[in-house]
Amino acid sequence: MNNKKTIWITVGVIVVVAVIAIVAFSSGSNKQPAVKQTVKIGLALPLTGGAAFLGESSRNAAQMALSDAGQTKYNYDLVIEDDAFNPAKTATVVTKFVNIDKVSAIITFGSGTSNAAAPINENAKIPRFGLASDPTSAIGDYNFIHWTPPFKEGQLSASEMVKKGYKNVAIVDTNHSGTLAVTNSVKEALKNTSVKIASYDLTNVGDKDFRTIITKIKALKPDIVLVEMFSPEIEIFAKQMKELGVKIPMTSVETFEWSNDPSLFEGMWFISDAKITPSFAEKYQAKFNDGPKPGATYVYDLVTLFINNQEKADHALSPTEMRDSIIKTGYENSPIFGNIQIDKDGFFITNASVKMIKNGKAVLIPE
Amino acid sequence: MDIIPQLILNSIIAGAIYAMIALGFNLIYGTAKFFDLGYGALTAVGGYAVFYFYKTLGLDLYVSILLGVLIVGVIGFIVYKLVYSPLRKRKSSGMVLLVAALGVLTALQAIIAILFTSQFQTLSQNSSSEQVFNILGGAITQTQLVTLIIGFVIMIVIGLVFRYTLFGKAVKAIGDDEEVSKIVGVNTENIIGWVFFIGSAIGGLAGILIGFDTGIEPTMGLSLLLKGVIACIIGGIGNVYGGVLGAFLLAFIENFGIWHISGEWKDAIAFAVLILFLLFRPHGILRK
């Protein structure tokens, strides 16, 4: 009799505990997963080579976005790889993100690198957001560009030249999809103005001797030289301009800011990408004892965008769900840029700004 | 404004750099008879050695340059002893030696990138303060003038050594026929080792001067080497004077070639000239 009673009591206790456990577990799953799921975000950044200082700043920004997100429902794993600003390496890195890391979204840095990654992402159906100017890197349904579009920068560059009374401009370009997209936009915008293109010279990435191009420009005596080059070529170009005694002012679309030594362009104006909220720059400065470099703001913005969209969901989003979520909700509260529209071509539309190099740093020129 | 004086000067500046590369390359090729691609990486080794001694350790400029040149010479010698000499003793084909040289180039570039990162570096402490000379209506910097002078001095010294010293005659003899040189008692292994030391040191010095003029990066050697090789083929492969002549001719063709067309064509022009010479004058302007 006692044995039977003991068995019934034991069974009763087990049933009660099981019911409580089931109720607790099922009600909890509606609010928060018992074990946090991990969402991976892949970042292909230039961490070595001439553009390493830009990649490092972007890496800092990504980590800052993650820490600013605070307590989250999900774990976020930033998988950061170096592509050295080399499209071939980007393709390898992005393939790794897709096949091994199984990331939910990818960020790439630069136009050439984004072009290399675009078909891989399209095939794998994993959304990729490039910090790029070349519109062709936003092909298909899974490739996007988060950068001020070249037509916005081109229009502003042309209007600034008109405003400053320039009659002609010499353009020195680099055979790179990003700079070509930008200079094409400038040339297109100049067609409807009084500013004439005095000369157009294209250089190859890696060229180091620009003396003959500079000599030609010196003879033409244009009012201004638009230089679209990356580091270190742009610094070498500025040095050789000085050596050859050419005092014609220079301008650029973004590339002064991409230089490792902006002080070479002291006092010169240029067109930059979108304005950012001062609070972000201040916060970044306080944390890393240096201002954010070009690209860092977009990386911060994108990582925040991924986290915000994921946090709204009740399960870890698949890559396609992540893409759909971003397209559906748009981006009305960017912490960096305010309201952003995503156009039909996959461009996050932001406005260009006018800056100048002052005390070795890029500063906004008030409108 | 007449741009021709400056274009001539630009060509002379570029020619001086190509000539330095061609001098070392031609010396090695003329003796060992294979395309030493690893020579390209030694230009970067020279630049980074000076970067380390001068900018990192803060040693005196001239001491740093001397150490840099010596180190490159020693590395060139070691590479010969460890890689090329055993292969040559096994009578390996030119293709095997070429592949080995490509391996040396890649390995040296990778080691430099690991030690110093791939970041572009400049050797001058203050590049904006460099002295600029005006010559016949054109501008040339102090470094470029020094490069030009050193190039000519090296060419003359090599010419004199070849003509008047036993070592120079031995080098010429090996270049003409290594087997016969051995039979007549020339220590070919020793002489070729010295040629690698001297040739590599010249390449290293070229890398150092380029580092002061523009800057250095681990992969700088390959493009320089290609221009040096084109210069040698145009001027006469294996001929020290021919290499220098080819270097200046190449530089003039490149710089005047882009006078009325875009600068992106510069390399295309250089390689078009190479193909023309290979087709119509494969031994170059000056025969060995």
Side-chain angles (χ1 to χ4, degrees):
Chain A
M1 185 64 190
N2 276 346
N3 279 348
K4 269 190 178 178
K5 197 178 172 184
T6 309
I7 289 166
W8 278 111
I9 289 168
T10 309
V11 170
V13 168
I14 290 169
V15 169
V16 169
V17 168
V19 168
I20 290 167
I22 289 164
V23 169
F25 192 78
S26 60
S27 63
S29 68
N30 287 335
K31 291 172 186 170
Q32 193 170 338
V35 180
K36 275 189 174 185
Q37 287 175 282
T38 298
V39 176
K40 288 185 178 182
I41 301 163
L43 293 98
L45 302 173
L47 298 172
T48 57
F53 68 106
L54 299 169
E56 280 158 16
S57 185
S58 286
R59 179 173 56 190
N60 290 342
Q63 284 158 351
M64 192 170 134
L66 197 57
S67 82
D68 285 355
Q71 285 291 331
T72 52
K73 282 197 296 184
Y74 299 88
N75 281 326
Y76 295 93
D77 185 5
L78 300 175
V79 187
I80 302 173
E81 295 281 353
D82 173 31
D83 67 5
F85 210 46
N86 177 341
K89 287 186 181 168
T90 311
T92 309
V93 165
V94 169
T95 304
K96 176 185 169 282
F97 287 158
V98 168
N99 295 325
I100 298 170
D101 299 313
K102 310 283 182 197
V103 299
S104 300
I106 292 170
I107 298 172
T108 53
F109 193 109
S111 289
T113 50
S114 293
N115 279 331
I120 302 167
N121 284 87
E122 196 60 22
N123 283 336
K125 297 192 186 310
I126 294 179
R128 185 195 54 81
F129 300 80
L131 280 56
S133 291
D134 183 6
T136 57
S137 68
I139 51 155
D141 299 325
Y142 285 84
N143 291 296
F144 300 86
I145 293 176
H146 192 0
W147 196 270
T148 306
F151 76 88
K152 291 264 185 190
E153 295 178 320
Q155 283 167 359
L156 190 56
S157 178
S159 71
E160 280 299 307
M161 286 186 208
V162 171
K163 205 161 82 179
K164 292 178 192 312
Y166 296 134
K167 295 281 178 284
N168 48 40
V169 53
I171 301 175
V172 185
D173 201 356
T174 303
N175 204 346
H176 180 277
S177 54
T179 53
L180 288 171
V182 166
T183 43
N184 284 340
S185 299
V186 176
K187 286 197 281 185
E188 193 60 35
L190 285 173
K191 276 182 187 169
N192 306 317
T193 70
S194 57
V195 183
K196 300 284 168 250
I197 298 169
S199 68
Y200 176 80
D201 259 288
L202 199 55
T203 62
N204 294 310
V205 175
D207 281 356
K208 300 282 184 286
D209 183 0
F210 308 108
R211 292 180 187 94
T212 296
I213 292 172
I214 295 168
T215 305
K216 291 193 292 185
I217 291 170
K218 189 178 179 183
L220 288 168
K221 293 181 185 159
D223 294 329
I224 195 157
V225 185
L226 174 74
V227 192
E228 286 302 297
M229 287 179 177
F230 298 108
S231 184
E233 287 85 3
I234 193 163
E235 291 93 350
I236 295 169
F237 184 88
K239 182 176 174 268
Q240 292 178 354
M241 283 274 281
K242 196 173 178 186
E243 284 171 6
L244 291 172
V246 183
K247 294 192 173 77
I248 302 164
M250 287 183 275
T251 187
S252 78
V253 177
E254 296 176 16
T255 54
F256 287 174
E257 235 173 339
W258 291 61
S259 165
N260 213 355
D261 185 7
S263 66
L264 289 165
F265 311 98
E266 189 66 30
M268 298 177 191
W269 68 271
F270 67 102
I271 301 302
S272 185
D273 49 310
K275 283 180 214 164
I276 60 169
T277 52
S279 58
F280 170 77
E282 285 159 16
K283 197 171 170 185
Y284 185 102
Q285 175 80 35
K287 191 158 186 169
F288 300 106
N289 202 25
D290 192 12
K293 301 282 184 288
T297 47
Y298 296 92
V299 170
Y300 180 93
D301 207 46
L302 282 167
V303 173
T304 307
L305 177 69
F306 300 150
I307 293 173
N308 289 350
N309 276 274
Q310 179 56 61
E311 289 297 306
K312 285 182 206 159
D314 58 4
H315 64 281
L317 296 173
S318 70
T320 301
E321 287 172 330
M322 175 67 87
R323 180 203 64 159
D324 293 344
S325 168
I326 289 169
I327 293 172
K328 191 177 161 192
T329 57
Y331 203 175
E332 291 172 352
N333 291 307
S334 159
I336 308 283
F337 305 106
N339 290 346
I340 296 177
Q341 300 296 317
I342 304 172
D343 76 359
K344 61 179 174 47
D345 297 323
F347 247 111
F348 287 47
I349 304 293
T350 50
N351 289 318
S353 59
V354 187
K355 289 184 182 174
M356 70 179 291
I357 303 296
K358 194 174 176 184
N359 299 323
K361 289 194 186 296
V363 293
L364 267 174
I365 298 177
E367 285 167 22
Chain B
M1 189 192 102
D2 193 3
I3 72 169
I4 291 176
Q6 188 61 59
L7 280 182
I8 292 171
L9 218 45
N10 293 346
S11 306
I12 291 172
I13 293 163
I17 292 165
Y18 297 163
M20 290 278 287
I21 303 291
L23 274 167
F25 180 82
N26 239 345
L27 188 62
I28 292 172
Y29 180 85
T31 318
K33 292 283 184 289
F34 76 94
F35 269 61
D36 180 16
L37 297 181
Y39 174 79
L42 293 174
T43 57
V45 172
Y48 277 94
V50 172
F51 176 78
Y52 178 71
F53 292 123
Y54 182 50
K55 290 193 93 170
T56 309
L57 296 185
L59 296 186
D60 176 71
L61 173 65
Y62 298 105
V63 173
S64 303
I65 292 173
L66 186 67
L67 284 172
V69 171
L70 286 174
I71 283 172
V72 180
V74 169
I75 291 174
F77 178 80
I78 291 170
V79 167
Y80 170 71
K81 286 288 179 190
L82 292 181
V83 183
Y84 304 140
S85 178
L87 290 172
R88 291 180 90 248
K89 278 177 187 162
R90 273 185 241 161
K91 304 279 181 210
S92 299
S93 67
M95 182 55 75
V96 171
L97 282 160
L98 187 74
V99 172
L102 188 62
V104 170
L105 172 82
T106 312
L108 285 176
Q109 285 182 171
I111 291 167
I112 295 168
I114 290 164
L115 293 175
F116 296 96
T117 77
S118 303
Q119 184 79 41
F120 186 82
Q121 306 281 2
T122 52
L123 292 185
S124 44
Q125 295 285 22
N126 187 1
S127 57
S128 58
S129 66
E130 191 168 15
Q131 203 173 346
V132 179
F133 302 98
N134 280 299
I135 300 172
L136 302 170
I140 185 167
T141 66
Q142 194 178 6
T143 305
Q144 291 155 1
L145 202 58
V146 169
T147 306
L148 185 63
I149 294 165
I150 289 178
F152 277 112
V153 168
I154 291 173
M155 184 186 75
I156 292 164
V157 169
I158 289 176
L160 292 174
V161 166
F162 272 21
R163 177 163 283 191
Y164 296 111
T165 69
L166 207 58
F167 172 78
K169 283 172 183 165
V171 171
K172 278 179 83 175
I174 294 168
D176 288 340
D177 195 320
E178 193 176 340
E179 291 306 316
V180 174
S181 304
K182 274 182 195 168
I183 292 165
V184 298
V186 176
N187 185 344
T188 57
E189 176 67 11
N190 199 11
I191 297 287
I192 295 174
W194 273 105
V195 165
F196 266 86
F197 177 85
I198 296 165
S200 304
I202 294 170
L205 184 58
I208 293 164
L209 291 166
I210 291 162
F212 280 102
D213 185 28
T214 52
I216 51 172
E217 56 192 337
T219 53
M220 66 189 268
L222 189 59
S223 58
L224 287 170
L225 179 77
L226 288 175
K227 292 294 170 72
V229 170
I230 296 172
C232 291
I233 291 170
I234 291 174
I237 191 105
N239 184 315
V240 172
Y241 302 110
V244 175
L245 177 68
F248 283 99
L249 186 62
L250 174 66
F252 270 87
I253 293 170
E254 275 186 345
N255 282 283
F256 276 83
I258 59 165
W259 183 1
H260 292 293
I261 58 171
S262 186
E264 64 174 330
W265 287 94
K266 203 174 189 179
D267 286 346
I269 291 168
F271 282 94
V273 171
L274 170 72
I275 291 166
L276 285 176
F277 266 85
L278 287 173
L279 285 173
F280 301 109
R281 203 175 168 89
H283 57 265
I285 298 168
L286 301 179
R287 282 183 189 274
K288 187 169 185 297

